[in-house]
Amino acid sequence: MSAKLVSRARAGDRKALGRLITKAENRVEGINAHVVAHVGQAHIVGIAGAPGTGKSCLIDALIGAYRRAGRSVAVVAIDPSGEDAGALLGDRIRVRQWATDPEVYVRSMASRGHPGGLAPSTPLVLRILDACGFNVILVEAAVLSEDVIEQSDTLVLVVTPESGDAVQLLKNDGIREADLLVVNKADQSGVGATLATLREMTERPVLSTVATTRAGADDLRAAIDRCAPADPKNRRFLRRMTCEIESLTVDIVREQLVDAPDLAARVMAGKLDPFVAAQLMTGNY
Ligand SMILES: Nc1nc2c(ncn2[C@@H]2O[C@H](COP(=O)(O)OP(=O)(O)OP(=O)(O)O)[C@@H](O)[C@H]2O)c(=O)[nH]1
Ligand SMILES: [Mg+2]
């Protein structure tokens, strides 16, 4: 059942892809084994920042920039409220416009209060999208958590000039994890001072954008591309798989994970479903 759906999704059937992701969200077993052999090409880019900094607008602008560069893009937007995520996303990312473009796929997911800021099924969903051949996967996250950092090959941190974010960031470890910083809403006052502060704080590239007019989107796209792992085989695949197993379970599982490294290896090899692995670890299987 899942095998057929995976091959239809990989052949470009967007309805099948949607159904596959819904199954992953509902923790239907058996998907991982059919996608794991096909992953490893996508550049996964986390777009993190406080609520309202303009992440969704920026992603919309980035989709255009990637399409101009001839690349396919999938978007996963995490909605922490967990309710009507489709509506929330729809008014920022012009889903309807992109719906006619076969090289763009936008999906929102509820994090359902998961403390890591990502939905528990996000890692599997990212692997599904990777296996479907998208060149770039943009992940919108309102929380700069360990999960988000682990899942991204490249992490973009979005701040704004007016919110005092830059000062907050001084206290935030996340800034050390970010590969790129973006001062969005550069049409507002204080942008020069914010850029100067951030550039003093970090050696990483600091760019500015106006997401609503798409100003700076092509430069941001180029800067993100420069962060892509040179060899796709060096991506954080193993780390991500381990992270998935951890995020599905509680602390006790982490202890057992140390005692059962072969479980992660079996999931990696596509021989064991990650949800089953988590259940084995907690003794619920
Ligand atoms: N002036 C100005 N407003 C912007 C810019 N980018 C986004 N906005 C506005 O900021 C508001 C929030 O934008 P979103 O893209 O929804 O922000 P977000 O970070 O995705 O917000 P959450 O998903 O709630 O975390 C909207 O009203 C946008 O129109 C910008 O560059 N300049
Ligand atoms: Mg948003």
Side-chain angles (χ1 to χ4, degrees), residues 266-282:
R266 282 161 62 199
V267 174
M268 282 285 293
K271 290 183 178 147
L272 180 66
D273 191 275
F275 298 132
V276 177
Q279 284 172 343
L280 282 171
M281 287 175 177
T282 49

Side-chain angles (χ1 to χ4, degrees), residues 48-59 77-80 88-89 91-93 140-143 158 160 183-188 209-215:
T53 45
K55 300 178 294 297
S56 296
C57 292
L58 200 54
I59 285 172
I78 311 294
D79 174 24
L88 173 123
L89 188 65
D91 62 348
R92 297 284 178 245
I93 302 175
E140 176 179 341
V143 188
V158 184
T160 58
V183 180
N184 187 43
K185 307 197 184 182
D187 53 333
Q188 296 185 342
T209 54
V210 182
T212 39
T213 65
R214 294 176 210 109

Side-chain angles (χ1 to χ4, degrees), residues 209-232:
T209 54
V210 182
T212 39
T213 65
R214 294 176 210 109
D218 288 307
D219 287 345
L220 176 58
R221 194 273 305 156
I224 292 171
D225 281 353
R226 283 194 288 275
C227 295
D231 180 354

Side-chain angles (χ1 to χ4, degrees), residues 61 86 88 103 140 155 250:
L88 173 123
E103 302 294 315
E140 176 179 341
L155 184 66
V250 284

